[in-house]
Amino acid sequence: MDKIILRNQDIPDIADIDVYVRNGGYAALKQVIETMTFEQVTDAVKASGLKGRGGAGFPTGLKWSFLPKGVLPRYLVVNADESEPGTFKDREIMEKNPHQFIEGVIISSYAIQCNHAFIYIRGEYPLAARILEKAVEEAKTHGYAGNKVLGSEYNIEITVHRGAGAYICGEETALLDSLEGKLGMPRVKPPFPALVGLYGKPTVINNVETLANVPPIIAKGADWYKSIGTEKSTGPKVFCVSGHVKRPGNYEAPLGSITLRDLIYGENFAQGVRGDKKVKGILTAGASAPMLTAEHLDTKLDYEAVAAAGSILGSASIIVLDEDTDIPWAAQKMAEFFKHESCGKCTPCREGTYWLLTLYQRINQGQASQADIDMLPIVASQMVGRTLCPLGEFATSPVTGTLRWFKSEYEAKVKSNGHG
Ligand SMILES: Cc1cc2nc3c(=O)[nH]c(=O)nc-3n(C[C@H](O)[C@H](O)[C@H](O)COP(=O)(O)O)c2cc1C
Ligand code: SF4
C-alpha cells in the first residue's frame, strides 16, 4: 500500500514544493479555501475518527470543537518537541515531507479560525527547523500561506519557534509557558488550553503527525480514511522502531493491521533482532509506558489492543530489548531520564523520581536488600494520581512494568550480594 504520511519513502524529493504540488500537494487546501466552511473542515476531521498522534490519542476534531464560539484571536500550536526516548517520526515528516505537514497546519488553522500558528520544535532539531522555515517561506511565495491565501480573505502567519531541550516542554501547557518566554513548567488544569491557552486565548495544541493526516482526509474524504485501520483506531500510523533490531527506522502501516511480531521481524519492517537473539522486553511508548515481553509479540498495533495487553501505544516508539538485556539496569536508565527531566514543580514527582533513582542505584551497585526492592512499588504508588502532570506517572512505568515480568532479576541481584 502507498504511504499516506511518509510519502517521502515512495516519492523522491517530495520535500521540494514543486514535486509536492505535482503529486497532488496543496490541492486539499485549495478545496478547503474554495468550497468549505470552517465548520465543514472540522466536521470532516471529526468524521474521519483521527486521534491525536502525540501520545494521548484524543480525537482531533472533537478537540477543535471545544473552542468557545466567537472568542478571537485563537491559536494553533504545533507540538514538535518530540522528546520521548525512541521517538523520531515527527523528525522524518518535518525533514522529508514538510509541505504535507505545513498544508495540514494551514488547513487546521483555517478550521479553527486561527490567523497565527506556532510550531514549537525541539532545540536538538536544527535541520528540521531550517527545512520548516524554508517550507513556510515557499508556501508564502506560492500563495498558500501569508495574506490572502489563494486569493481569499483568509490570512495565516506561521512561526517556527525552537525549544531549548527540555522533555517537559512536550507537555502541552509547559510548552505554552515556554513559548510565552516563561520557564517551561506545566500549568494547573483547568482551565484547559481550549479556553485559556497561548497568551490567555483559546488554543488548540496538536502533534506534527496528527496534522500531517489532515490533507489526505480532506482530499480523499472521511469515509476513505475510516476504511484504513480499525473501527476505533482509524488511519495510518508511523511506528518508530529502535533498540536491538536489525533495521531500526520509521515504518508506516494502518493501525491494527500488523502485530508487534510483524513490526519487529517483518521483511518490510525491522527484520528481526540483532544476532538473531530472542526478544526479552518491548517498550511500546518509549520510557513512558509499562514494558511488555516476548509473550506479547502477537499484540495488534492499535490503541485498544496495546492497552488490553497492559501498556499504551502512545506515540508508538517501539524499543526492543534482547535476551541479554539486564532489565534492572535498563529500568535505572529510564529512572535517570525521569529524575533529570522532572521539572520539580510538584513534590511527589520531584521527590519520587529522586528516590526511585536512588533505589535503582543501590540495586544495580549490589548494595540493596529485599526491602529496597519492596520499596520501589511503594514509592511509585505515592506518585501515581498525585502529580500535576502525567510525567510523574510516566516515571513509575519502568518500575511497574519491569517488576511485573522480571522480579526474579531484581532478586538475583540482591541474593548475589548476600543481602537477600
Ligand atoms: C511529559 C510529557 C511529554 C510530552 N511530549 C510530547 C511531545 O514531545 N510531542 C507531542 O506531540 N506530545 C507530547 N505530549 C503530549 C501533549 O501534552 C499533547 O497531548 C499533544 O501534543 C496533543 O496533540 P495530539 O492531540 O495531536 O496528540 C507530552 C505529554 C507529556 C505529559
Ligand atoms: S509531575 Fe513532575 S514534571 Fe509534571 S509538574 Fe509535577 S514535577 Fe513537574
Side-chain angles (χ1 to χ4, degrees), residues 22-57:
R22 269 205 304 280
N23 284 280
Y26 289 108
L29 176 64
K30 192 162 182 291
Q31 183 185 334
V32 161
I33 295 288
E34 291 177 358
T35 67
M36 294 174 83
T37 62
F38 307 128
E39 293 82 8
Q40 282 172 330
V41 181
T42 301
D43 288 346
V45 172
K46 251 190 201 169
S48 74
L50 171 65
K51 288 181 183 168
R53 305 302 200 224

Side-chain angles (χ1 to χ4, degrees), residues 172 203 231:
E172 56 188 21
T203 301
E231 197 186 334

